[in-house]
Amino acid sequence: MYKTYCILLLSAAFNVRFNDAEVQMPRFKLNDGYDIPAIALGTSPGYNSKQKPNEMEVAVKWALDAGYRHFDTAAIYNVEDQVGRALKKYPREEVFVTTKLWNTKHAMSDVVPALQESLKNLQLKYVDLYLIHWPVSQHENLTASDVDYLDSWRGMMNAKKLGLTRSIGVSNFNKEQIQRIIDSGLEVPAVNQVEINLNLQQPDLLEYAKSKNITICGYTPFGSLFYSKGSEDAPPPRLNDPVLTKMAEKYNKTVPQIALRYLHELGVIPLPKSVTRNRIEQNIDIFNFSLTDEEKNLLKGFDRNYRTLPQYKWKDFPYYPFEKN
């Protein structure tokens, strides 16, 4: 089902050298006509992470050397300045930059100034994609605000009209919330960025997005694969799962590369994050092999509708997008 979808989405590509062989980096066609590279370096430091000075700047430079041309960041990550410094000497037209509107800036009048602040930090005149980070809205004191995300979306449309972003989209929206945007006669989002991994494959949301020609970007693409990242109650698999290790050995790849390749074949743009050079290089090296239908069915069997980042702290806020249990 998704194979045809992927073929329709893939468009112009550029060459990246993997293991002494040139491989085309696929790009997806957004519903507004722009192209988006099929994998991005995620730059979230994690909510509990302690960053080293300029750690993300160095990571972005390594990623550029490895062939990445798509970089996903956000105002709340507090690394836009580092991303901007790393990209400064690179041709602007050759990189794709995504950033996001934070929950405290949802009022329609706040959207453009928030993006202008992000552009200042990034040292850019425009971003390629601007997303509403979450449908929930907060006051500066972190209490719930009742700002309607439809007003936020109108602000996003204004930012696009002003040329501050080429494309606009959403993040962490469920299909009913996206449909409400469409039913209101507003611009259809180009992208929905959501958690997608082996434990949370979201087939209904993927099918809905396909029907509306909305591209899905997937954060937390490794889910609970790493023992150090997964909670104790997280379902399998882990890095040493025999099904995954067998596939990895067959293709001379790592288990994380198998997970990323599977998401790509679902038509998802994965957003792996790392500040380790060899992992950054490995994560992009997924375009020179394909999984069989049998292997994809095995991987499909790991879906448990288990959400790694449910953000229950917002579950009583207006427009909380996920299940509340």
Side-chain angles (χ1 to χ4, degrees), residues 278-308:
N278 68 322
R279 289 181 181 172
I280 289 171
E281 293 169 349
Q282 287 176 356
N283 288 341
I284 199 176
D285 186 11
I286 62 169
F287 300 110
N288 54 3
F289 74 105
S290 298
L291 299 169
T292 67
D293 289 341
E294 181 182 4
E295 288 166 341
K296 285 185 280 190
N297 283 332
L298 287 171
L299 295 173
K300 183 179 179 181
F302 287 117
D303 189 7
R304 296 291 184 273
N305 197 34
Y306 174 84
R307 198 175 294 278
T308 307

Side-chain angles (χ1 to χ4, degrees), residues 4 24 58 70 101 132 141 191 196 198 220 234 250 256 259 322 325:
T4 302
Q24 283 197 328
V58 173
H70 182 181
L101 175 78
I132 300 179
N141 65 3
V191 164
I196 298 275
L198 291 177
T220 317
K250 173 184 174 182
F322 306 146
N325 51 17

Side-chain angles (χ1 to χ4, degrees), residues 31 178-179 182 188-189 207-215:
N31 61 20
I178 295 175
Q179 189 60 47
I182 296 171
V188 178
E207 186 67 22
Y208 172 79
K210 181 181 70 169
S211 73
K212 302 299 180 183
N213 197 17
I214 296 170
T215 299

Side-chain angles (χ1 to χ4, degrees), residues 47 76 102-104 133-138 142-144 172 219 309-322 324:
Y47 294 106
I76 195 63
W102 187 238
N103 305 347
T104 56
H133 206 148
W134 290 87
V136 299
S137 178
Q138 295 173 276
L142 305 184
T143 59
N172 298 298
Y219 68 80
L309 300 172
Q311 299 291 3
Y312 288 134
K313 62 188 176 185
W314 297 326
K315 69 178 182 178
D316 295 322
F317 281 38
Y319 309 119
Y320 178 75
F322 306 146
K324 296 189 178 183

Side-chain angles (χ1 to χ4, degrees), residues 8-133:
L8 290 172
L9 285 173
L10 295 178
S11 60
F14 57 85
N15 293 332
V16 181
R17 182 165 291 278
F18 296 132
N19 301 324
D20 297 323
E22 279 199 349
V23 177
Q24 283 197 328
M25 168 67 71
R27 299 173 77 94
F28 289 70
K29 181 72 72 175
L30 298 177
N31 61 20
D32 58 10
Y34 289 107
D35 290 339
I36 181 172
I39 192 169
L41 178 73
T43 64
S44 167
Y47 294 106
N48 298 315
S49 298
K50 291 184 178 180
Q51 282 190 74
K52 298 176 183 177
N54 301 324
E55 183 175 57
M56 199 59 67
E57 180 180 355
V58 173
V60 171
K61 289 179 178 178
W62 285 339
L64 284 165
D65 290 342
Y68 290 77
R69 296 297 179 266
H70 182 181
F71 299 90
D72 181 89
T73 191
I76 195 63
Y77 300 164
N78 293 317
V79 296
E80 288 176 322
D81 59 333
Q82 294 189 51
V83 174
R85 289 196 298 271
L87 296 178
K88 189 171 178 60
K89 294 183 180 180
Y90 211 85
R92 177 65 185 93
E93 65 276 8
E94 294 186 21
V95 293
F96 189 104
V97 181
T98 299
T99 194
K100 308 179 192 78
L101 175 78
W102 187 238
N103 305 347
T104 56
K105 305 296 183 182
H106 272 210
M108 185 167 61
S109 60
D110 287 342
V111 175
V112 166
L115 178 49
Q116 289 172 328
E117 182 65 22
S118 286
L119 291 173
K120 179 181 177 181
N121 291 332
L122 288 162
Q123 301 183 62
L124 297 175
K125 293 181 179 180
Y126 69 91
V127 291
D128 297 275
L129 177 62
Y130 197 42
L131 306 177
I132 300 179
H133 206 148

Side-chain angles (χ1 to χ4, degrees), residues 180-200:
R180 183 168 175 250
I181 291 174
I182 296 171
D183 291 344
S184 297
L186 302 177
E187 182 173 340
V188 178
V191 164
N192 187 17
Q193 184 180 128
V194 294
E195 181 182 342
I196 298 275
N197 50 58
L198 291 177
N199 290 156
L200 185 69

